[in-house]
């Protein structure tokens, strides 16, 4: 097969890790990147070491036009990646050289252009409203024009898998039109995301055998198989894989860059990132979630904060022997950490591992371990939850193991009243009576709610004696009402996150009253701080 070679651009790269967060990822409902966001995303992806960053569609979206202009004017210096402009082939019946959208791709000054082309005959005839000859001419004309202008061109064959199943000859003719005109890679797209891995692998293998073209893969996630489909395509011979950060994308999203990369590196042994890049996966995933303003998915494979969190006691007992017995990889190889959760599902091994993490020496203390495990199970049955409240768990553990030092204060009583005034304002007032530094102190304070008032009164009572108190702030407060079991009342669980500027710690309180549940969590927070110093 003869073809026009792109002028002066490298073709020797064996495998392409291609990111389209800034174009296809931005098609996710709820994402709207500013130009500054786009530049920040591109810098992070480049730091990670992807080979190609698709920056958007210049000429179609003003923000994307500006992004490419600012990038080319020096605001984006890429060390690893090449910047890619995305756009469609020329319009039917026109000339590529005169098509405004095609010219905008050149004007973007991006060294690489990815063109989207329809390869399903039904789309060609019904959406483009042209015949297959004209569809192929649109591809060939646009590719050869851009290659002639010195651009490296990739061709995204939209709806390829559906189109190939419906009419393989048409689908292959579109690929051939692109490849012979000089496209470096023809990318088989599962645009509707309806494929499954075995079918993808079979088609990729068959197309590779029939054409000999360099193939890429682009999978949407409508069957929740985009990552599996992408990996299957690579195993079947694709050497260019398109993904988006955290799987952001139209509808159900795209293949997640972090899972795809994790699999390529850890499972297939492919060096698709520069040295040290894999260990950056978790950091970059979270940083990109921050820019997209989407909370990270804690259960995301490889990079989620729960991806290596173990709750089951049986897992912990094996992990104690060797962490790899229950982890599919070393979490640090992708920049993540293993965590052991102590809950009602814990066994002795879970607590021993947690003890190591918290710095509590449990060696030679089997009775204490057994007793704390039993206590945790008992409390969790009543509605307590320690998996997110390490500080309360540590207090429980230390009390059993070495007996806690004297708490910094003891409570004699507290009282909270709610005052609904004539003008509609609701004020809470709390009085606490505590013993601190050998004295009995009574303090009263107001707050905008009962817990706020109680916290304020306690601080007023304690701060003359406890110098560190002012540094402690409540940084998060979560309340959950737990449904009652037959014959019991509902209980309230409060999780309190505290911070002293250096560290954060979480405590838990459970009671039928939200005020008492909050008080228990608040006391644990202060006792924990005084113990840690
Ligand atoms: C599978 C994907 O995700 S591909 C990426 C899709 N991304 C986007 O669509 C986001 C950016 N899109 C846009 O800003 C606009 O849709 C634009 C600027 C591209 C086009 O806007 P408009 O000119 O108003 O046209 P509209 O969006 O209604 O329709 C698209 C036109 O492109 C044509 N078209 C669609 N695909 C192709 C293609 N591969 N090659 C050439 N023309 C195409 C359609 O037939 C239609 O032509 P018509 O106007 O003659 O009916
Ligand atoms: C190109 C693309 O985004 C798709 O076919 O899904």
């Amino acid at each position: 097969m003869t073809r026009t070679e792109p002028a002066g651009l490298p073709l020797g790269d064996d495998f392409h890790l291609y990111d389209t967060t800034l174009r296809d990822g931005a098609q996710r409902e709820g994402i709207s990147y500013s130009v500054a966001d786009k530049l920040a995303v591109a810098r992070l992806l480049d730091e990670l070491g992807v080979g190609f960053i698709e920056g958007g569609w210049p000429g179609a979206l003003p923000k994307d036009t500006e992004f490419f202009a600012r990038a080319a004017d020096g605001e984006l210096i890429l060390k690893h990646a090449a910047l890619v402009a995305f756009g469609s082939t020329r319009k039917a019946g026109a000339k590529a050289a005169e098509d405004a959208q095609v010219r905008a791709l050149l004007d973007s000054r991006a060294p690489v252009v990815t063109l989207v082309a329809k390869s399903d005959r039904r789309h060609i005839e019904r959406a483009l409203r042209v015949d297959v000859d004209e569809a192929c001419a649109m591809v060939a004309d646009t590719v050869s024009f851009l290659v002639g202008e010195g651009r490296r061109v990739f061709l995204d064959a939209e709806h390829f898998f559906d189109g190939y199943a419906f009419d393989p000859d048409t689908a292959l003719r579109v690929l051939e039109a692109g490849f012979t005109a000089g496209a470096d890679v023809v990318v088989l797209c599962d645009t509707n995301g309806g494929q499954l891995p075995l079918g993808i692998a079979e088609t990729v293998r068959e197309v590779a055998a029939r054409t000999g073209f360099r193939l890429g893969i682009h999978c949407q996630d409508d069957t929740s198989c985009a990552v599996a489909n992408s990996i299957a395509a690579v195993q079947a011979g694709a050497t260019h894989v398109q993904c988006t950060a955290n799987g952001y994308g139209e509808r159900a999203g795209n293949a997640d860059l972090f899972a795809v990369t994790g699999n390529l590196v850890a499972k297939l042994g492919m060096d698709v990132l520069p040295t040290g890049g894999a260990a950056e996966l978790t950091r970059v995933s979270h940083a990109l979630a921050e820019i997209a303003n989407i909370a990270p998915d804690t259960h995301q494979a490889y990079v989620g904060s729960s991806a290596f969190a173990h709750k089951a006691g049986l897992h912990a007992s094996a992990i104690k022997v060797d962490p790899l017995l229950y982890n599919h990889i070393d979490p640090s190889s992708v920049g993540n950490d293993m965590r052991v959760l102590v809950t009602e599902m814990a066994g002795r091994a879970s607590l021993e591992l947690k003890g190591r993490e918290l710095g509590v020496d449990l060696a030679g203390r089997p009775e204490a371990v057994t007793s704390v495990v039993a206590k945790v199970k008992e409390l969790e049955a009543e509605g307590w939850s320690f998996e997110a409240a390490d500080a309360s768990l540590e207090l429980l553990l230390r009390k059993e193991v070495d007996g806690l030092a004297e708490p910094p204060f003891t409570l004699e009583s507290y009282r909270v009243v709610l005052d609904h005034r004539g003008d509609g304002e609701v004020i809470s007032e709390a009085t606490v009576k505590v013993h601190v530094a050998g004295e009995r102190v009574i303090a009263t304070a107001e707050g905008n709610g009962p817990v706020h008032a109680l916290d304020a009164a306690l601080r007023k009572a304690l701060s003359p004696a406890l110098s560190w108190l002012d540094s402690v702030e409540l940084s998060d407060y979560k309340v959950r009402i737990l449904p009652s079991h037959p014959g019991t009342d509902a209980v309230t669980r409060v999780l309190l996150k505290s911070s002293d500027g250096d560290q954060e710690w979480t405590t838990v309180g459970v009671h039928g009253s939200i005020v008492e549940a909050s008080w228990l969590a608040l006391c644990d927070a202060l006792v924990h701080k005084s113990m840690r110093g």
Side-chain angles (χ1 to χ4, degrees):
M1 182 93 36
T2 57
R3 54 180 294 221
T4 316
E5 295 295 339
L9 287 160
L11 281 175
D13 36 2
D14 295 336
F15 189 88
H16 296 167
L17 189 59
Y18 181 111
D19 181 89
T20 173
T21 305
L22 292 174
R23 196 276 302 171
D24 213 341
Q27 288 173 221
R28 172 180 159 134
E29 184 173 14
I31 288 189
S32 176
Y33 292 121
S34 65
V35 177
D37 289 338
K38 292 186 79 128
L39 290 164
V41 168
R43 286 185 195 109
L44 279 162
L45 290 167
D46 186 54
E47 265 173 51
L48 183 66
V50 304
F52 296 88
I53 298 172
E54 192 175 273
W57 189 333
L61 283 78
K63 272 195 297 196
D64 289 2
T65 309
E66 183 184 337
F67 165 77
F68 281 100
R70 285 171 60 176
D73 287 341
E75 275 192 63
L76 188 62
I77 311 289
L78 298 176
K79 284 199 299 281
H80 299 289
L83 196 58
V84 184
F86 176 92
S88 75
T89 54
R90 67 151 166 84
K91 289 219 171 284
K95 285 199 174 99
E98 291 162 11
D99 185 298
Q101 287 290 333
V102 176
R103 294 222 71 91
L105 295 170
L106 277 185
D107 293 344
S108 75
R109 291 174 276 166
V112 184
V113 173
T114 292
L115 289 172
V116 62
K118 298 202 186 292
S119 58
D120 180 331
R121 184 155 61 81
R122 292 163 297 187
H123 281 262
I124 290 172
E125 291 173 353
R126 295 175 61 203
L128 277 183
R129 297 178 306 280
V130 298
D131 61 19
V132 174
D133 287 344
E134 175 59 7
C136 290
M138 287 159 72
V139 170
D141 181 21
T142 316
V143 172
S144 59
F145 170 68
L146 290 168
V147 170
E149 293 289 331
R151 299 303 189 270
R152 187 179 196 182
V153 178
F154 302 145
L155 185 75
D156 274 1
E158 225 193 328
H159 300 283
F160 181 82
F161 293 91
D162 300 328
Y164 186 75
F166 177 71
D167 175 1
D169 290 342
T170 295
L172 292 180
R173 276 187 63 195
V174 173
L175 299 189
E176 187 178 341
F179 194 78
T180 52
D184 185 20
V185 181
V186 287
V187 184
L188 312 185
C189 299
D190 181 19
T191 305
N192 288 355
Q195 302 295 315
L196 297 175
L198 291 183
I200 288 266
E202 199 179 313
T203 302
V204 169
R205 218 170 270 122
E206 195 172 299
V207 172
R210 287 181 72 173
T211 65
F213 301 161
R214 181 171 188 179
L215 301 182
I217 184 74
H218 174 116
C219 294
Q220 300 292 139
D221 201 27
D222 301 71
T223 54
S224 205
C225 287
V227 171
N229 287 346
S230 303
I231 297 299
V234 171
Q235 289 181 306
T239 56
H240 164 122
V241 62
Q242 300 194 348
C243 318
T244 62
N246 304 322
Y248 300 150
E250 189 101 27
R251 306 186 306 280
N254 284 54
D256 172 18
L257 170 73
F258 302 104
V260 168
T261 307
N263 286 329
L264 293 176
V265 173
K267 308 299 167 182
L268 301 186
M270 295 171 66
D271 291 331
V272 295
L273 290 176
T275 309
E280 294 294 309
L281 287 171
T282 301
R283 177 184 73 82
V284 173
S285 162
H286 293 193
L288 292 176
E290 192 63 42
I291 297 173
N293 200 20
I294 292 173
D297 172 3
T298 52
H299 299 280
Q300 195 172 345
Y302 289 99
V303 297
S305 60
S306 298
F308 301 95
H310 298 274
K311 194 156 162 173
L314 291 190
H315 293 204
S317 76
I319 284 171
K320 215 177 84 177
V321 178
D322 177 356
L324 280 181
L325 288 174
Y326 263 101
N327 286 312
H328 71 114
I329 54 163
D330 173 359
S332 68
S333 67
V334 291
N336 210 338
D337 288 321
M338 185 184 82
R339 291 184 301 122
V340 173
L341 309 173
V342 173
T343 72
E344 62 193 346
M345 289 187 199
R348 283 173 293 116
S350 317
L351 202 69
E352 285 169 30
L353 288 170
K354 195 63 172 182
R356 277 186 215 164
E357 202 179 302
L358 296 172
V360 183
D361 185 8
L362 295 172
R365 304 298 307 271
E367 306 81 18
V369 171
T370 306
S371 156
V372 175
V373 169
K375 183 84 184 154
V376 166
K377 285 179 190 279
E378 203 179 292
L379 287 171
E380 293 229 340
E382 290 169 16
W384 293 72
S385 171
F386 291 96
E387 70 177 27
D390 270 2
S392 288
L393 180 71
E394 185 178 346
L395 293 180
L396 200 67
L397 199 54
R398 288 194 186 277
K399 206 160 155 190
E400 188 68 35
V401 174
D402 39 38
L404 273 179
E406 276 296 295
F409 65 93
T410 53
L411 175 73
E412 184 181 311
S413 67
Y414 72 72
R415 189 177 62 226
V416 184
V417 290
L418 213 61
D419 194 7
H420 186 136
R421 296 181 181 164
D423 59 2
E425 201 179 355
V426 180
I427 295 286
S428 299
E429 187 184 295
T431 299
V432 296
K433 297 178 185 173
V434 292
H435 296 262
V436 59
E439 283 190 38
R440 180 172 185 259
V441 185
I442 302 176
T444 297
E446 289 182 332
N448 54 19
V451 177
H452 183 221
L454 195 56
D455 179 46
L458 186 63
R459 283 170 183 272
K460 203 166 166 184
L462 300 182
S463 53
L466 305 181
S467 57
W468 45 261
L469 192 61
D470 286 348
S471 70
V472 178
E473 282 181 0
L474 305 187
S475 53
D476 197 15
Y477 176 77
K478 284 200 182 83
V479 179
R480 177 139 179 231
I481 310 293
L482 303 165
S484 51
H485 300 297
T488 63
D489 290 332
V491 291
T492 303
R493 182 198 296 149
V494 167
L495 278 178
L496 206 68
K497 192 180 272 184
S498 307
S499 160
D500 61 7
D502 284 335
Q503 292 191 3
E504 280 197 329
W505 63 101
T506 303
T507 51
V508 59
V510 171
H511 198 268
S513 149
I514 185 173
V515 176
E516 178 62 11
S518 306
W519 170 261
L520 293 171
L522 190 59
C523 287
D524 265 11
L526 298 184
V527 173
H528 189 269
K529 169 67 188 168
S530 79
M531 179 188 77
R532 281 283 162 123

